[in-house]
Amino acid sequence: MNVIEVKNVWKMYGKLVANEDISMTVNEGEIVALLGPNGAGKTTLVKQIYGELSPNKGEIKILGKKPTDRQIKKLIGVIPQECEPYGDLTVWDNIYYMGRLKGVSKEVIKNRGEELLNRLDLLSKRNTLARDLSGGLKRRTLIAMALINDPKLLILDEPTTGLDPEARREVWEILIDMKREGRSMLLTTHYLDEAERLADRIYFLNRRIIVEGTPAEIKEKFADWYEVIDYTNGKVYKVKGEEELKKLIMNLNGKFEVRMPSLEEIYLQVIRNAD
Ligand SMILES: Nc1ncnc2c1ncn2[C@@H]1O[C@H](COP(=O)(O)OP(=O)(O)OP(=O)(O)O)[C@@H](O)[C@H]1O
Ligand SMILES: [Mg+2]
């Protein structure tokens, strides 16, 4: 089943086309990453998926319903871009009030909230005002808030931007755990390593969808060139296709190394060629 289905969606801000004829899906249990440069239209697209904006054209279904359906907010967990927990409330109160907003009973919030504090390593911060937390702890608080209604689907707009490498990895571990529990996820990111680590499928987006596939598929499809480093003289060659590669290697008679393009190089190549 598709937990998210986007069909031929267009979104304009006045004359600016932010999303052009976008179709994409998230299947049950999948983590899907939207990758694209600043201004690519990622936030615009996810806002339409969780019902904060409406498309000018096209159709979106989330958990089989319209994004504006009142039930939807209670069933999903969202972390918008550049969102922070409410600074004047403690960690616990942020989680508690988010639960109440989503219609979760006090009893359930108490139990689940406790469990989330424990899991996200926030027990000692329970009574700290959110404004006194570090960026990583704020992000963990937001994750707890997004999970308080035990959502099947999470939508995360740049969940690790601004975090240090260790905090990023902590968030990854939490998200991988969420996936193991069968939750589906749509996330946006600028980080190729993040997409490669977390996502089952990736969409490269720059106003419109440019490429879709698993990280391995994308690599296989676009990695049609090789870099050969000749260690005898330090020269670096770039060749296209296996035939060229073989020819070059036959002519080398010392130590050498063959390198395939990384997902990052493919991404840059694909995004550049798209315009
Ligand atoms: N409320 C708005 N009014 C007018 N233009 C907007 C509005 N929101 C976004 N835009 C424009 O739409 C385009 C897409 O913006 P969007 O925020 O969706 O991109 P993004 O991929 O999320 O970028 P980033 O990676 O920087 O978060 C940009 O050109 C942006 O300036
Ligand atoms: Mg954005």
Side-chain angles (χ1 to χ4, degrees), residues 78-80 83-87 89-99 102 113 116-117 119-148 154 156 159 163 170-171 174:
V78 178
I79 304 185
C83 173
E84 290 210 343
Y86 191 66
L89 293 180
T90 62
V91 167
W92 176 259
D93 285 348
N94 267 288
I95 297 169
Y96 180 85
Y97 287 114
M98 182 52 83
K102 289 180 173 183
L116 286 168
L117 283 181
R119 261 182 85 169
L120 296 168
D121 230 346
L122 286 167
L123 277 174
S124 64
K125 303 289 175 190
R126 160 203 300 267
N127 297 318
T128 306
L129 290 179
R131 71 165 110 88
D132 296 331
L133 297 172
S134 69
L137 289 166
K138 279 182 185 158
R139 211 60 66 93
R140 274 194 255 157
T141 305
L142 287 172
I143 295 175
M145 291 161 71
L147 288 171
I148 191 65
L154 285 161
L156 315 166
L163 300 185
E170 276 172 24
V171 171
I174 295 164

Side-chain angles (χ1 to χ4, degrees), residues 51-241:
E52 198 180 307
L53 291 174
S54 296
N56 294 95
K57 253 199 272 180
E59 200 190 15
I60 300 178
K61 283 268 173 69
I62 172 166
L63 302 174
K65 294 179 163 57
K66 283 190 172 169
T68 46
D69 190 300
R70 283 163 134 235
Q71 288 302 314
I72 288 299
K73 277 204 171 46
K74 298 184 178 177
L75 299 174
I76 65 174
V78 178
I79 304 185
Q81 185 170 13
E82 281 159 20
C83 173
E84 290 210 343
Y86 191 66
D88 291 337
L89 293 180
T90 62
V91 167
W92 176 259
D93 285 348
N94 267 288
I95 297 169
Y96 180 85
Y97 287 114
M98 182 52 83
R100 295 301 289 156
L101 276 176
K102 289 180 173 183
V104 184
S105 75
K106 291 179 186 172
E107 199 58 24
V108 172
I109 294 178
K110 258 191 162 173
N111 292 330
R112 204 177 285 147
E114 204 66 39
E115 196 187 306
L116 286 168
L117 283 181
N118 192 16
R119 261 182 85 169
L120 296 168
D121 230 346
L122 286 167
L123 277 174
S124 64
K125 303 289 175 190
R126 160 203 300 267
N127 297 318
T128 306
L129 290 179
R131 71 165 110 88
D132 296 331
L133 297 172
S134 69
L137 289 166
K138 279 182 185 158
R139 211 60 66 93
R140 274 194 255 157
T141 305
L142 287 172
I143 295 175
M145 291 161 71
L147 288 171
I148 191 65
N149 56 332
D150 196 19
K152 285 256 169 299
L153 171 65
L154 285 161
I155 300 177
L156 315 166
D157 198 351
E158 297 194 21
T160 66
T161 298
L163 300 185
D164 70 36
E166 203 187 335
R168 283 183 69 208
R169 273 169 185 72
E170 276 172 24
V171 171
W172 292 356
E173 290 311 314
I174 295 164
L175 298 185
I176 289 168
D177 260 6
M178 298 297 120
K179 180 181 151 71
R180 280 204 202 101
E181 294 171 2
R183 294 179 221 269
S184 316
M185 247 171 275
L186 175 64
L187 59 93
T188 75
T189 181
H190 290 285
Y191 302 117
L192 270 295
D193 60 340
E194 181 159 299
E196 199 164 10
R197 176 91 175 81
L198 295 178
D200 300 299
R201 261 177 337 110
I202 296 176
Y203 290 90
F204 286 173
L205 179 81
N206 201 3
R207 197 178 67 243
R208 56 195 169 78
I209 304 278
I210 295 164
V211 170
E212 178 270 338
T214 67
E217 280 169 1
I218 292 175
K219 273 191 180 167
E220 197 177 306
K221 191 165 166 201
F222 292 94
D224 58 349
W225 52 269
Y226 303 87
E227 208 170 69
V228 180
I229 304 154
D230 185 348
Y231 285 133
T232 57
N233 56 14
K235 272 193 182 159
V236 180
Y237 305 91
K238 208 166 161 180
V239 290
K240 217 171 154 74

Side-chain angles (χ1 to χ4, degrees), residues 13 16 18 37-44 81 158 190:
Y13 298 109
L16 183 124
N38 288 129
K42 303 180 295 296
T43 298
T44 301
Q81 185 170 13
E158 297 194 21
H190 290 285

